Amino acid sequence: MPRHYLHISDHTPESFQGLLDLALKLKAELRSGGNAPVLKGKILGMVFQKPSLRTRVSFDVAMRQLGGDALYLSPAEIGLGGRESVADVARVLSRYVSGIMARTFSHQHILDLAQYASVPVINGLSDYNHPCQGLADLLTVLEHKGRVKGLRIVYVGDGFNVATSLWHGCALLGANFVIASPRGYELGAKAVEIGQAPAAATGATIERLNDPRAAVAGADVIYTDTWTSMGQEAEAAIRRQAFDGFQVNAGLMALAKPDAIVLHCLPAHRNEEITDEVMDGPQSVVFDQAENRLHAQKAVLASLMA
Ligand code: CP
Ligand code: NVA
């Protein structure tokens, strides 16, 4: 098991499956009376350079349910790399807390925190990836479909952080990952490449398309995310135009398998990337998925900090 949780691609299929199994176990344990306090006396420092609902609350609740506690450090307080170097923030926080969770713009800041911290670092989203989301996503697929291997998992939208981690998880678990993005917004070559080695071992595949209708044909899972991620707000209008035709709506859903499930990492921009009808419809599992952030992260916390 890696010392930090920075990228899904740092895992082997076995260690990643181990996190999924532990998440399922901790979820069942919570439901049958509460979690054992395996993180008693441990405190997680949570460094945020961007807003959050799910990540902030689920990590805080996860720490408390495992017997520990968490500290929220807002963008204004730390100013990673501004008020103080990232290396010094990592060194100082390591003297106070048992683990650091960070949400940053630059992925290099996540890497620097991990390099200079003497405690485990967890990536709570960067401009490259979102590995906590990817773990919860595949936990949700596993619960609703009974397996991940061999499924056609289709991501419709921006080839950005959420897509990176979903692909890397699919690569480890042997799924057929399909991503449809407008030209200019495709998943980057580096992220694609990093998944190729595990994919060759597990039988996973990747297809990159520009046509969402071709992508969702025969899909078991349809996934979308915002067209304008945090930090890209100035591009919102231009992106709305570029992503025209990439909305997950009833017309697109009709092309997928009838029992396809719909995922969205949230926050959703209703009636932009996904319609109310789909998000609130019978195939949507987005709130199960949001809940699973809690269970998935407990597996990460317990495996790194207990
Ligand atoms: N999905 C997700 O990470 O949500 P937040 O930005 O609210 O944490
Ligand atoms: N791609 C989105 C994900 C939010 C959880 C963003 O980076 O804003």
Side-chain angles (χ1 to χ4, degrees):
M1 195 66 76
R3 187 167 82 86
H4 303 292
Y5 188 70
L6 307 181
H7 318 98
I8 286 178
S9 54
D10 295 335
H11 280 263
T12 61
E14 292 72 28
S15 67
F16 192 62
Q17 184 63 51
L19 286 176
L20 289 169
D21 293 343
L22 182 56
L24 287 169
K25 187 178 145 235
L26 291 168
K27 184 171 181 175
E29 184 184 76
L30 179 70
R31 294 208 164 148
S32 63
N35 291 123
V38 294
L39 296 184
K40 190 169 163 38
K42 304 272 170 84
I43 295 181
L44 179 73
M46 306 194 296
V47 178
F48 280 92
Q49 301 289 100
K50 293 173 174 172
S52 171
L53 169 63
R54 280 143 291 272
T55 306
R56 176 183 175 174
V57 178
S58 58
F59 266 108
D60 194 333
V61 171
M63 283 302 296
R64 295 185 204 200
Q65 289 181 343
L66 294 174
D69 213 335
L71 276 177
Y72 170 71
L73 302 158
S74 75
E77 280 163 303
I78 301 264
L80 269 187
R83 180 170 186 264
E84 193 161 1
S85 79
V86 180
D88 286 350
V89 169
R91 292 180 179 115
V92 171
L93 276 177
S94 297
R95 303 291 181 108
Y96 301 136
V97 298
S98 307
I100 299 168
M101 191 279 292
R103 166 167 287 192
T104 62
F105 289 92
S106 159
H107 189 62
Q108 190 60 46
H109 285 174
I110 296 282
L111 299 177
D112 290 348
L113 282 172
Q115 182 179 344
Y116 294 101
S118 56
V119 298
V121 172
I122 299 171
N123 176 356
L125 177 147
S126 74
D127 282 352
Y128 171 62
N129 66 348
H130 195 359
C132 295
Q133 185 68 53
L135 184 62
D137 297 343
L138 292 163
L139 180 64
T140 310
V141 173
L142 191 59
E143 286 183 322
H144 282 273
K145 291 281 165 194
R147 67 187 169 110
V148 175
K149 193 172 177 68
L151 295 182
R152 184 174 175 88
I153 298 183
V154 180
Y155 178 99
V156 178
D158 197 9
F160 195 52
N161 44 16
V162 168
T164 299
S165 292
L166 187 64
W167 156 231
H168 292 162
C170 286
L172 289 176
L173 299 178
N176 300 314
F177 181 70
V178 183
I179 177 164
S181 314
R183 284 185 207 287
Y185 297 92
E186 291 100 341
L187 188 60
K190 177 182 153 217
V192 173
E193 177 56 31
I194 286 172
Q196 298 289 11
T202 62
T205 58
I206 182 166
E207 269 182 87
R208 282 192 296 168
L209 306 175
N210 299 115
D211 177 1
R213 296 176 69 82
V216 301
D220 296 291
V221 177
I222 296 184
Y223 197 120
T224 193
D225 180 16
T226 183
W227 295 338
T228 301
S229 286
M230 292 178 276
Q232 300 169 341
E233 290 78 6
E235 300 170 20
I238 208 164
R239 284 174 163 269
R240 228 173 270 128
Q241 276 180 0
F243 285 84
D244 187 33
F246 284 76
Q247 185 185 63
V248 174
N249 54 31
L252 205 66
M253 288 301 301
L255 304 171
K257 285 191 183 158
D259 64 349
I261 55 170
V262 176
L263 288 95
H264 190 310
C265 57
L266 307 179
H269 301 78
R270 285 170 171 267
N271 303 311
E272 279 195 23
E273 76 273 4
I274 188 166
T275 58
D276 283 339
E277 187 183 14
V278 172
M279 181 131 159
D280 300 328
Q283 290 167 276
S284 168
V285 297
V286 301
F287 298 110
D288 292 347
Q289 180 188 3
E291 180 191 325
N292 277 338
R293 294 291 305 278
L294 174 69
H295 310 300
Q297 286 154 199
K298 274 186 195 166
V300 172
L301 292 166
S303 70
L304 294 178
M305 288 167 62

